[in-house]
Amino acid sequence: MGGDGLLGTERRSGFQDLVGYRLAAWEEGGAVLELEVGPQHLNRAGVLHGGVLSTLLDTVMGFAGTFCPHPGRKRTTVTLSLTTSFTGQCSSGTVRASARVAGGGTRVYACTGEVRGPDGTVLAVGQGTFRYRTGSEDPHGVPA
């Protein structure tokens, strides 16, 4: 598994730049994102905002189901449902979101994920259901 270089010709999204996460690992059926927590990620209580945790889960689960090893091609999805449970908190350091595809068919897949804090504490867990966008149901993807 590798980092952002695996995106190949796919450009970073504006949302990725806004939030600041980094694709740390990506392979068939799994992905890992990392985020260095900054003041812009904290809520009024001074801890990592639940919306950031939900964003990381949604994003890492989307990546987990869309790995495409074919240069110049990509796969994309839309989120059909996302459930998040918040189980911990942190205010600084690097958090890691990881996800694995749990099952599915040719058009829809299910995924599970978690976000861990710098000390390994589970901050949030999630489950999601995703639908491949047209052309992305094919493991060869579409032109990037």
Side-chain angles (χ1 to χ4, degrees), residues 31-34 53-61 64 82-85 87 95-100 111-117 120-128:
V32 177
L33 298 178
E34 293 181 338
L53 292 166
S54 295
T55 292
L56 292 173
L57 285 168
D58 184 37
T59 304
V60 76
M61 288 190 280
L82 177 66
T83 302
T84 304
S85 297
T87 57
V95 297
R96 280 176 70 87
S98 61
R100 297 296 308 165
C111 222
T112 60
E114 67 178 22
V115 182
R116 290 186 176 265
T121 301
V122 177
L123 304 177
V125 295
Q127 295 178 309

Coordinates of all heavy atoms in Angstrom, one line a residue, residues 31-34 53-61 64 82-85 87 95-100 111-117 120-128:
A31 N -8.3 1.0 2.7 CA -7.6 2.3 2.6 C -7.3 2.9 3.9 O -8.0 2.5 4.9 CB -8.5 3.3 1.8
V32 N -6.4 3.8 4.0 CA -6.0 4.5 5.3 C -5.8 6.0 4.9 O -5.1 6.3 4.0 CB -4.7 3.9 5.9 CG1 -4.4 4.7 7.2 CG2 -4.9 2.4 6.2
L33 N -6.4 6.8 5.7 CA -6.2 8.3 5.6 C -5.5 8.8 6.9 O -5.8 8.2 8.0 CB -7.5 9.0 5.4 CG -8.4 8.8 4.2 CD1 -9.6 9.6 4.3 CD2 -7.6 9.1 3.0
E34 N -4.8 9.8 6.8 CA -4.2 10.5 8.0 C -4.5 11.9 7.9 O -4.6 12.5 6.9 CB -2.7 10.3 8.0 CG -2.3 8.8 8.2 CD -0.8 8.6 8.3 OE1 0.0 9.5 7.7 OE2 -0.3 7.6 8.8
L53 N -14.6 13.8 11.9 CA -14.6 12.3 12.0 C -15.5 11.6 11.0 O -15.1 10.7 10.4 CB -14.9 11.9 13.5 CG -13.9 12.3 14.6 CD1 -14.5 12.1 15.9 CD2 -12.7 11.5 14.4
S54 N -16.7 12.2 10.9 CA -17.6 11.6 9.9 C -17.1 11.7 8.5 O -17.2 10.8 7.6 CB -19.0 12.3 10.0 OG -19.6 12.0 11.2
T55 N -16.5 12.9 8.2 CA -15.9 13.1 6.9 C -14.8 12.1 6.6 O -14.7 11.5 5.5 CB -15.3 14.5 6.8 OG1 -16.4 15.5 6.8 CG2 -14.4 14.8 5.6
L56 N -13.9 11.9 7.6 CA -12.8 10.9 7.4 C -13.4 9.5 7.2 O -12.9 8.8 6.3 CB -11.9 10.9 8.6 CG -11.0 12.2 8.8 CD1 -10.3 12.1 10.1 CD2 -10.1 12.4 7.6
L57 N -14.4 9.1 7.9 CA -15.0 7.8 7.7 C -15.6 7.7 6.3 O -15.4 6.7 5.6 CB -16.0 7.5 8.8 CG -15.4 7.2 10.1 CD1 -16.5 7.2 11.2 CD2 -14.7 5.8 10.1
D58 N -16.4 8.6 5.9 CA -17.0 8.6 4.6 C -16.0 8.5 3.5 O -16.1 7.7 2.6 CB -17.9 9.9 4.4 CG -18.7 9.9 3.2 OD1 -19.2 8.8 2.7 OD2 -18.8 11.0 2.6
T59 N -14.9 9.3 3.6 CA -13.9 9.4 2.6 C -13.1 8.1 2.5 O -12.9 7.6 1.4 CB -13.0 10.6 2.8 OG1 -13.8 11.8 2.9 CG2 -12.0 10.7 1.7
V60 N -12.6 7.6 3.7 CA -11.8 6.4 3.7 C -12.6 5.2 3.2 O -12.1 4.3 2.5 CB -11.1 6.2 5.0 CG1 -12.1 5.6 6.1 CG2 -9.9 5.3 4.8
M61 N -13.9 5.1 3.5 CA -14.7 4.0 3.0 C -15.0 4.1 1.5 O -15.0 3.1 0.8 CB -16.0 3.9 3.8 CG -15.8 3.4 5.2 SD -17.3 3.0 6.1 CE -17.8 4.6 6.6
A64 N -11.8 2.8 0.0 CA -11.6 1.4 0.2 C -12.3 0.6 -1.0 O -11.8 -0.4 -1.4 CB -12.2 1.0 1.5
L82 N -24.6 6.4 5.7 CA -23.4 6.5 6.6 C -23.8 6.5 8.0 O -24.7 7.4 8.4 CB -22.5 7.7 6.2 CG -21.3 8.0 7.1 CD1 -20.3 6.9 6.9 CD2 -20.7 9.3 6.8
T83 N -23.4 5.6 8.8 CA -23.6 5.6 10.3 C -22.3 5.8 11.0 O -21.4 5.1 10.7 CB -24.3 4.3 10.7 OG1 -25.5 4.1 9.9 CG2 -24.6 4.3 12.2
T84 N -22.3 6.7 11.9 CA -21.1 7.0 12.7 C -21.4 7.0 14.2 O -22.4 7.5 14.6 CB -20.5 8.4 12.3 OG1 -20.3 8.5 10.9 CG2 -19.2 8.7 13.1
S85 N -20.6 6.3 15.0 CA -20.7 6.3 16.4 C -19.4 6.9 16.9 O -18.3 6.5 16.6 CB -20.8 4.9 17.0 OG -22.0 4.3 16.5
T87 N -16.7 7.6 19.9 CA -16.3 6.8 21.0 C -15.2 7.4 21.8 O -14.8 6.8 22.8 CB -15.9 5.3 20.6 OG1 -14.9 5.4 19.6 CG2 -17.1 4.6 20.0
V95 N -4.4 11.7 13.4 CA -5.4 10.7 13.5 C -5.4 9.8 12.2 O -5.0 10.3 11.2 CB -6.8 11.2 13.8 CG1 -6.9 12.0 15.1 CG2 -7.3 12.1 12.6
R96 N -5.7 8.5 12.4 CA -5.7 7.6 11.2 C -7.1 7.0 11.1 O -7.6 6.4 12.0 CB -4.7 6.5 11.5 CG -3.3 6.8 11.2 CD -2.3 5.7 11.5 NE -2.4 4.5 10.6 CZ -1.8 4.4 9.5 NH1 -1.0 5.3 9.1 NH2 -1.9 3.3 8.8
A97 N -7.6 7.1 9.9 CA -8.9 6.5 9.5 C -8.6 5.3 8.6 O -7.8 5.5 7.7 CB -9.8 7.5 8.8
S98 N -9.2 4.2 8.9 CA -9.0 3.0 8.1 C -10.3 2.4 7.8 O -11.3 2.5 8.6 CB -8.1 2.0 8.8 OG -8.6 1.6 10.0
A99 N -10.4 1.7 6.6 CA -11.6 1.0 6.2 C -11.4 -0.2 5.4 O -10.3 -0.3 4.8 CB -12.5 2.0 5.4
R100 N -12.3 -1.1 5.5 CA -12.3 -2.4 4.7 C -13.7 -2.6 4.1 O -14.7 -2.3 4.7 CB -12.0 -3.6 5.6 CG -10.6 -3.6 6.3 CD -9.4 -3.7 5.4 NE -9.3 -4.7 4.4 CZ -8.5 -4.7 3.4 NH1 -7.6 -3.8 3.3 NH2 -8.5 -5.7 2.6
C111 N -19.2 -1.1 3.7 CA -17.8 -0.9 4.3 C -17.9 -0.7 5.8 O -18.9 -0.2 6.2 CB -17.2 0.3 3.6 SG -15.5 0.2 3.1
T112 N -16.8 -1.0 6.5 CA -16.7 -0.6 7.9 C -15.4 0.2 8.0 O -14.5 0.0 7.3 CB -16.7 -1.8 8.8 OG1 -15.5 -2.6 8.4 CG2 -17.9 -2.7 8.7
G113 N -15.4 1.1 9.0 CA -14.2 1.9 9.2 C -14.1 2.4 10.6 O -15.1 2.3 11.4
E114 N -12.9 2.9 11.0 CA -12.7 3.4 12.3 C -11.7 4.6 12.2 O -10.9 4.6 11.2 CB -12.2 2.4 13.3 CG -10.8 1.8 13.0 CD -10.4 0.8 14.0 OE1 -11.2 0.2 14.7 OE2 -9.1 0.6 14.1
V115 N -11.7 5.5 13.1 CA -10.7 6.5 13.2 C -10.1 6.4 14.6 O -10.8 6.3 15.6 CB -11.3 7.9 13.1 CG1 -10.2 9.0 13.2 CG2 -12.1 8.1 11.8
R116 N -8.7 6.3 14.6 CA -8.0 6.2 15.9 C -7.2 7.5 16.1 O -6.6 8.1 15.2 CB -7.0 5.0 15.8 CG -7.8 3.7 15.9 CD -6.9 2.5 16.0 NE -7.6 1.3 16.1 CZ -7.9 0.7 17.2 NH1 -7.5 1.2 18.4 NH2 -8.6 -0.4 17.3
G117 N -7.1 7.8 17.4 CA -6.3 9.0 17.8 C -4.8 8.7 17.8 O -4.4 7.5 17.6
G120 N -3.8 5.7 19.7 CA -4.5 4.4 19.4 C -5.9 4.3 19.8 O -6.6 3.3 19.5
T121 N -6.4 5.2 20.6 CA -7.8 5.2 21.1 C -8.7 5.3 19.9 O -8.5 6.1 19.0 CB -8.0 6.4 22.0 OG1 -7.1 6.3 23.1 CG2 -9.5 6.4 22.5
V122 N -9.8 4.5 19.9 CA -10.8 4.6 18.9 C -11.6 5.8 19.1 O -12.3 6.0 20.2 CB -11.6 3.3 18.8 CG1 -12.7 3.5 17.7 CG2 -10.8 2.1 18.5
L123 N -11.6 6.7 18.2 CA -12.4 8.0 18.3 C -13.8 7.9 17.7 O -14.7 8.5 18.1 CB -11.7 9.1 17.6 CG -10.2 9.4 18.1 CD1 -9.6 10.5 17.2 CD2 -10.2 9.7 19.5
A124 N -13.9 7.1 16.6 CA -15.2 6.9 15.9 C -15.2 5.6 15.1 O -14.1 5.2 14.6 CB -15.5 8.1 15.0
V125 N -16.3 5.0 15.0 CA -16.5 3.8 14.1 C -17.6 4.1 13.2 O -18.5 4.9 13.5 CB -16.7 2.5 14.9 CG1 -15.5 2.1 15.7 CG2 -17.9 2.6 15.8
G126 N -17.6 3.5 12.0 CA -18.7 3.7 11.1 C -19.0 2.6 10.1 O -18.1 1.7 10.0
Q127 N -20.1 2.6 9.6 CA -20.5 1.7 8.5 C -21.2 2.5 7.4 O -21.8 3.5 7.6 CB -21.6 0.7 9.0 CG -21.1 -0.2 10.1 CD -22.2 -1.1 10.6 OE1 -23.3 -0.7 10.9 NE2 -21.9 -2.4 10.6
G128 N -20.9 2.1 6.2 CA -21.5 2.8 5.0 C -21.9 1.9 3.9 O -21.4 0.8 3.8

